[in-house]
């Protein structure tokens, strides 16, 4: 169980640091896309809930299966697929329901989701491998 805690933390740290950098650099992109719909400050409770649940999803759907297979490439590919599905759910729903959400915004965000979930899943996989289990 401790090995999975270490993998969860590793996954979360990589995801959070990468996402913080991404969001700080692309804030204007989101502001232009949804403008007045954005809060002045993030709802940190909702953000925390998302990150906790999403990290658990990465652990369940990416890290553990890749560890069982002993394959880092599985972690990367499964991470990309899981990221695509998760971020596409958000982005394509926005595209279908929001006036100012664009296809380019969806494609950029889905690509980000694929990348950040892949590197985070790989980090969790490597943490499990390093524990020697």
């Amino acid at each position: 169980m401790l090995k999975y805690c270490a993998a969860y933390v590793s996954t979360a740290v990589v995801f959070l640091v990468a996402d913080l950098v991404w969001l700080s650099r692309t804030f204007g992109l989101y502001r232009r896309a949804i403008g007045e719909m954005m809060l002045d400050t993030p709802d940190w409770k909702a953000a925390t809930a998302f990150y906790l649940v999403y990290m658990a999803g990465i652990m369940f759907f990416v890290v553990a299966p890749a560890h069982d297979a002993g394959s880092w490439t599985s972690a990367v590919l499964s991470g990309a697929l899981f990221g695509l599905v998760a971020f596409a759910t958000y982005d394509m729903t926005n595209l279908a329901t929001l006036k100012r959400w664009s296809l380019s915004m969806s494609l950029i965000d889905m690509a980000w989701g694929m990348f950040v979930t892949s590197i985070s899943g790989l980090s969790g996989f490597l943490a499990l491998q390093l524990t020697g289990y």
Side-chain angles (χ1 to χ4, degrees):
M1 183 60 152
L2 190 56
K3 67 180 181 174
Y4 284 100
C5 289
Y8 184 96
V9 169
S10 176
T11 300
V13 167
V14 169
F15 193 98
L16 290 170
V17 168
D19 212 36
L20 178 63
V21 170
W22 170 258
L23 291 172
S24 69
R25 303 233 183 232
T26 61
F27 181 80
L29 182 68
Y30 291 96
R31 175 66 73 193
R32 284 189 299 280
I34 56 178
E36 70 283 347
M37 292 180 57
M38 287 183 73
L39 296 172
D40 291 331
T41 59
D43 179 339
W44 293 111
K45 289 179 185 174
T48 299
F50 162 74
Y51 285 118
L52 291 171
V53 170
Y54 197 66
M55 295 313 106
I58 295 172
M59 290 297 300
F60 186 83
F61 293 110
V62 177
V63 174
H67 177 67
D68 291 345
S71 170
W72 70 270
T73 57
S74 176
V76 171
L77 295 174
S78 295
L81 182 59
F82 184 65
L84 175 63
V85 170
F87 279 64
T89 300
Y90 171 78
D91 289 304
M92 299 312 284
T93 298
N94 284 350
L95 189 59
T97 60
L98 299 178
K99 289 180 184 177
R100 293 176 47 190
W101 194 267
S102 68
L103 177 60
S104 62
M105 185 71 224
S106 291
L107 295 174
I108 290 166
D109 202 53
M110 289 186 303
W112 171 249
M114 292 172 68
F115 173 76
V116 72
T117 306
S118 285
I119 63 169
S120 301
L122 178 60
S123 174
F125 169 80
L126 294 173
L128 277 182
Q129 296 293 66
L130 292 174
T131 61
Y133 293 100

